[in-house]
Amino acid sequence: LPAVYSLDGLLVFGLLLVCTCAYLRKVPRLRAWLLSERRGVWGVCHKAAVIGTRLHVAVSMSCLLMAFYILVGK
């Protein structure tokens, strides 16, 4: 839990949220069930899914850089 309060922990959490929501958006049943709301907590998931699908190159590069930082930099 203390890793969540560091900057790199927040970045990892954000990247995982965006990647997970973008993946769930590709599954038809889960898309209709989870990502149909655009307000509240589920709205955050919807917005993260939109970011993940529109900026997939930047998100994937960020994931690779973060993985390299965690494996080598820490």
Side-chain angles (χ1 to χ4, degrees):
L1 192 63
V4 175
Y5 297 114
S6 64
L7 180 62
D8 55 344
L10 287 173
L11 288 174
V12 168
F13 176 76
L15 284 171
L16 287 174
L17 178 72
V18 168
C19 292
T20 303
C21 291
Y23 176 76
L24 291 177
R25 187 176 174 148
K26 297 293 183 183
V27 181
R29 285 189 183 209
L30 292 177
R31 181 179 185 178
W33 185 51
L34 291 175
L35 299 173
S36 61
E37 282 293 320
R38 295 185 185 217
R39 286 188 234 142
V41 175
W42 297 116
V44 172
C45 292
H46 173 76
K47 290 173 185 170
V50 169
I51 290 170
T53 53
R54 290 186 183 171
L55 300 175
H56 62 278
V57 174
V59 170
S60 63
M61 291 303 293
S62 299
C63 287
L64 287 174
L65 287 173
M66 184 56 72
F68 183 76
Y69 169 74
I70 288 174
L71 290 174
V72 177
K74 273 188 149 180

